Amino acid sequence: MTAQPAPAYFVAGTDTEIGKTFVSCALIQRAAQHGLRAGGLKPIAAGTDAAGRNEDVEQLLAASNTALPLDLVNRYRFRAAVAPHIAARDEDIAIHFPAIAADLAQARGQSDFLIVEGVGGFRVPLGVDRDGRPQDSADLAQALGLPLIFVVGMRLGCINHCLLSIEAIQARGLNLAGWVANRVDPEMSRFDDNLHTLQSLLPAPLLGCIPHAPAGGAAGAARHLRLPGERI
């Protein structure tokens, strides 16, 4: 009998800078706390330091308890901290989804639980493929065929951004496994009301609400989360 591939989830979010990497690391830590070999991929990252390191990728590597090689974790690593389609164009590189899918398959063979973090919001341009067709991060999620975990950066305007993104996710026929409320703005007015509104409108379970700057970093944030299908 052929072994089933390890569970894997694509993490998307309402925008850039809303804590997708932090939530991805917390989900990895949550899985590791259950004794699973847990890791994360960020196939596309823009912005490196003088040593060629990307901060988000380094955080995923640090959160993982698997020994996945850097180039498997992050196939496309661009120097400039700009939109990925611009960075890819500047470096004359076409992002190839089948190569990312192959990386995912290899990583699943070395893990019990895997997170694939997207880039920016759900519909971020990624340039053109090798045949010159436009492609974006929603196309990547669809090509990988993974269930999604959606991160909502809890701040003014998040409900609109969230609902528009969920419409796009549903239009692609993708499975929304759950969502996470990440309190990026500690001063958000009427936080509880906004959270309850999202709970009433989103067609997927709330996997957790992460407070602003929780003690213990990603490991501490993991205590506020559950994995898809996990009962607490």
Side-chain angles (χ1 to χ4, degrees):
M1 181 180 295
T2 303
Q4 292 295 314
Y9 298 89
F10 189 95
V11 172
T14 46
D15 204 346
T16 190
E17 300 298 328
I18 52 85
K20 287 193 313 299
T21 300
F22 186 69
V23 172
S24 294
C25 290
L27 289 164
I28 291 168
Q29 290 279 302
R30 181 73 177 179
Q33 290 166 6
H34 285 292
L36 302 177
R37 296 176 301 159
L41 304 186
K42 189 173 178 72
I44 303 161
T48 60
D49 62 16
R53 293 183 295 258
N54 174 269
E55 182 179 357
D56 291 348
V57 173
E58 294 300 313
Q59 288 181 31
L60 288 174
L61 288 168
S64 302
N65 64 357
T66 56
L68 299 177
L70 172 60
D71 289 341
L72 187 66
V73 170
N74 174 224
R75 174 171 285 269
Y76 297 101
R77 187 166 56 257
F78 301 111
R79 292 186 295 272
V82 297
H85 71 290
I86 297 173
R89 183 194 64 197
D90 288 350
E91 297 188 30
D92 195 24
I93 293 174
I95 295 172
H96 192 46
F97 290 174
I100 295 173
D103 291 341
L104 171 61
Q106 183 178 342
R108 290 176 93 168
Q110 303 175 44
S111 309
D112 301 316
F113 177 90
L114 202 65
I115 288 295
V116 180
E117 185 192 341
V119 56
F122 184 62
R123 292 285 319 266
V124 173
L126 298 177
V128 297
D129 64 17
R130 292 181 178 180
D131 296 319
R133 294 174 298 219
Q135 57 187 10
D136 62 22
S137 53
D139 295 321
L140 175 58
Q142 195 166 26
L144 297 180
L146 300 177
L148 267 73
I149 295 175
F150 195 72
V151 180
V152 180
M154 297 298 292
R155 60 190 180 196
L156 184 64
C158 68
I159 294 177
N160 176 67
H161 292 165
C162 180
L163 295 179
L164 288 173
S165 298
I166 297 305
E167 281 190 8
I169 289 168
Q170 292 176 322
R172 301 269 175 159
L174 295 168
N175 173 26
L176 183 64
W179 63 285
V180 175
N182 187 33
R183 194 163 187 176
V184 294
D185 178 7
E187 304 301 325
M188 181 183 188
S189 179
R190 307 297 291 270
F191 172 82
D192 289 339
D193 288 341
N194 281 276
L195 181 66
H196 293 155
T197 297
L198 285 167
Q199 285 183 280
S200 70
L201 293 174
L202 295 190
L206 174 63
L207 300 178
C209 181
I210 299 178
H212 182 73
R223 294 193 292 269
H224 298 275
L225 293 177
R226 60 187 174 97
L227 303 178
E230 177 187 353
R231 294 184 179 182
I232 54 174

